[in-house]
Amino acid sequence: AVSDEELKKRIAEELALERARRDSEAQKRRLFGKLLERERISSNEHLTRAILRERAATEEERQKAQRFARQLEEKDRELKKHDAYYKEQLARLEERVKPFF
C-alpha cells in the first residue's frame, strides 16, 4: 500500500512538473509572440516614416525642378529680348553707314 501511495505521489509530482513545464513553454511562446508583434509594428512604423520622408523629398525635388524650369524660361525670354534689341541696333547701324559705302 505504501508503494502504491508513493507511486501515486510520484506520478502526481511528475504530472505537476510536466504541467508547469508546458505552462512555462506556453508563456515563453506568448512572450516571444508579443516581442515579434512589437518588432513587426516597429518595423512597419519605421518603413512608413521612411516612405513619407522619401515622398517628401521627391515632392521637394519636383518643386525645385519646376522652379528651375520657370527660371530657365524667364532667362530664355530675357535673352530673346536682348537678341531682338541687338539685332535692331545692328540694323540701325547698318542703315547709318550705308551712305558711306
Side-chain angles (χ1 to χ4, degrees):
V2 174
S3 66
D4 280 345
E5 284 297 316
E6 197 174 293
L7 186 59
K8 286 180 185 179
K9 185 179 176 183
R10 189 170 178 164
I11 290 172
E13 286 174 355
E14 295 222 3
L15 285 172
L17 283 173
E18 181 61 24
R19 264 189 240 118
R21 186 188 66 73
R22 278 193 231 139
D23 289 347
S24 175
E25 288 296 320
Q27 185 178 10
K28 286 178 187 176
R29 282 192 298 277
R30 282 191 302 274
L31 286 174
F32 187 68
K34 286 179 183 178
L35 286 172
L36 283 176
E37 181 64 15
R38 276 193 226 137
E39 184 64 29
R40 185 188 63 76
I41 289 169
S42 176
S43 293
N44 284 344
E45 288 172 353
H46 178 72
L47 182 60
T48 300
R49 283 192 302 270
I51 289 169
L52 290 175
R53 275 193 310 270
E54 190 60 34
R55 283 181 184 165
T58 301
E59 178 62 20
E60 187 177 321
E61 285 294 318
R62 187 187 64 75
Q63 289 175 357
K64 188 187 286 186
Q66 285 179 339
R67 237 183 357 262
F68 286 146
R70 283 191 301 271
Q71 289 173 352
L72 184 60
E73 288 170 1
E74 181 60 35
K75 192 70 165 172
D76 190 45
R77 281 192 296 274
E78 196 176 307
L79 288 172
K80 285 179 182 177
K81 281 182 192 177
H82 286 153
D83 188 47
Y85 174 76
Y86 292 135
K87 284 181 181 177
E88 183 184 317
Q89 293 299 314
L90 181 61
R92 282 185 183 174
L93 286 173
E94 287 174 346
E95 282 298 315
R96 279 187 180 171
V97 296
K98 259 188 186 177
F100 300 108
F101 291 105

